[in-house]
Amino acid sequence: MTLDYIVGLDNGGTANKFTVMDRAGNYLVDELIELPSRVTEGPGAALGALKDAFEAALTTAGISRDQVLGVGFDSPGPASADGVLSSRGATNFAHREWWGFDFRSALEKILELPVVYSNDTNAAALYAHHRHFGAVAADRSSAAAIVGTGLGGGLIHEGHMIKGAAGMAGELGHVHIPTDGILREGQPVPVCNCGFVGDAESFASLTGIRNNLLPYWLTQYPDHELNQLDIADAAKAVRGFGERGDEMALTIFEQQAMAIGRLFTIVANVFDPDVYFIGGGVLEAEPHFRDWFLDQVRRHTNLRAEQRDVAEVLEVTDLDMAGCRGAAVAALSTLGH
């Protein structure tokens, strides 16, 4: 029997997602199916959950195990290019057994198939690239910023993700950006959970809203109803207020858009991609708000005239499935020759 399929597995803090892709790049799983990831219970439980997701992928796609060439696997970081988790742990891998854990090799052992590892945002960036460019993906480059709890990123060159020597290329959230003109007089320079001051993630993330932007702006709007909520709940509610045109919320998202625009300006002078992708919760909003935010990012992305003629700022679509699909693309690129 020929080895015609790649299984893509996306591991998250609460859920695993999966897909199956054939050698021609067609996906056999159309719908989003989420299964518990069990990462908070440690590696043993999490690996069992990933094996369950693998079996569910086979059943959903109607294929057998002996038709599978290999597995594309992505997880949050920080991790090495080969899927060894940080020795200091991470938000999703706080359990002590995770520190320095070789996630890729452990999954390969339990599945008894080749496993190709990708960082989750790199995988999403790779999928966005291939979905947008299609047949000419190998001739194009792109950069992606994924706004969530943090700010993930990915750089794709000639259809392949750039991982870097230590697996940390494309960490766009931790690029320092100029803050002059973004911050108002007296507004503190945001601090990131990683310890950096004034990086992109300290502005453009849910954590950035909670820790930096919202606490300041609530002092400027003392009568705002979000002052009545716990700061974590208030931060999650800001987008809804933005969709309704709330002045304070729009100011917060304008600062985020300015930060992403300046980040893309830096990327333009280092990498000069064909497309700058934006994805994440801030774009999973009402169309009028999403379009306004994208326009703000474009406005604050300072490209040279020659770059403006050839480059675009676009939304990442199908983000829920982007991780597992991008992981499958990466695996096929490695194993399919």
Side-chain angles (χ1 to χ4, degrees):
M1 188 172 288
T2 58
L3 302 176
D4 288 329
Y5 301 103
I6 296 285
V7 174
L9 298 176
D10 172 70
N11 170 259
T14 59
N16 291 324
K17 304 169 189 176
F18 59 81
T19 194
V20 175
M21 186 179 74
D22 66 21
R23 284 180 178 268
N26 301 306
Y27 299 102
L28 280 66
V29 179
D30 294 327
E31 71 272 32
L32 172 65
I33 302 173
E34 296 182 298
L35 299 174
S37 68
R38 302 181 64 189
V39 294
T40 58
E41 300 174 48
L47 288 166
L50 282 164
K51 186 174 183 180
D52 290 344
F54 173 82
E55 298 293 343
L58 301 185
T59 300
T60 304
I63 64 169
S64 62
R65 189 182 185 284
D66 55 8
Q67 293 177 281
V68 176
L69 174 64
V71 175
F73 170 56
D74 77 85
S75 79
S80 73
D82 294 324
V84 179
L85 299 176
S86 169
S87 59
R88 297 184 179 183
T91 300
N92 287 285
F93 305 111
H95 195 290
R96 183 63 181 83
E97 289 182 68
W98 283 120
W99 298 5
F101 186 75
D102 189 341
F103 209 176
R104 186 205 65 80
S105 293
L107 184 61
E108 189 170 79
K109 183 176 181 180
I110 198 170
L111 295 181
E112 299 181 313
L113 284 166
V115 174
V116 176
Y117 177 80
S118 301
N119 173 275
D120 59 349
T121 51
N122 282 347
L126 185 64
Y127 172 68
H129 181 94
H130 280 264
R131 186 183 189 282
H132 178 71
F133 289 114
V136 298
D139 299 319
R140 300 290 187 269
S141 61
S142 64
I146 310 296
V147 185
T149 304
L151 179 63
L155 300 175
I156 310 301
H157 179 61
E158 295 181 348
H160 297 279
M161 69 176 69
I162 299 176
K163 293 188 175 183
M168 296 181 181
E171 289 286 354
L172 301 186
H174 302 301
V175 173
H176 289 87
I177 60 172
T179 60
D180 290 349
I182 300 180
L183 298 174
R184 302 295 175 87
E185 185 176 352
Q187 185 176 3
V189 178
V191 178
C192 184
N193 278 352
C194 75
F196 284 174
V197 176
D199 65 7
E201 182 174 301
S202 67
F203 285 91
S205 64
L206 178 60
T207 304
I209 291 177
R210 173 180 175 171
N211 293 348
N212 301 306
L213 303 185
L214 185 57
Y216 168 76
W217 282 107
L218 286 175
T219 68
Q220 307 302 300
Y221 289 82
D223 297 327
H224 199 285
E225 61 185 282
L226 286 180
N227 272 300
Q228 308 304 314
L229 299 180
D230 173 81
I231 192 66
D233 293 332
K236 294 175 183 177
V238 169
R239 191 185 80 189
F241 278 83
E243 290 175 322
R244 296 192 292 273
D246 180 81
E247 182 179 78
M248 184 189 74
L250 290 177
T251 302
I252 288 172
F253 284 111
E254 182 182 25
Q255 288 191 313
Q256 287 201 331
M258 292 173 72
I260 295 172
R262 293 192 179 192
L263 172 64
F264 284 165
T265 301
I266 294 170
V267 172
N269 287 284
V270 175
F271 188 51
D272 191 26
D274 295 279
V275 169
Y276 304 81
F277 286 113
I278 312 172
V282 69
L283 296 177
E284 296 168 1
E286 294 295 328
H288 72 275
F289 178 81
R290 180 191 65 224
D291 294 343
W292 170 82
F293 187 82
L294 282 168
D295 285 343
Q296 292 296 312
V297 173
R298 293 182 181 113
R299 176 184 168 201
H300 293 287
T301 301
N302 187 13
L303 302 180
R304 303 176 192 277
E306 295 87 347
Q307 293 172 316
R308 287 197 300 270
D309 288 340
V310 296
E312 298 179 277
V313 176
L314 301 173
E315 177 189 0
V316 176
T317 57
D318 303 330
L319 189 59
D320 283 339
M321 295 292 285
C324 58
R325 288 179 173 180
V329 172
L332 183 62
S333 176
T334 301
L335 303 172
H337 298 294

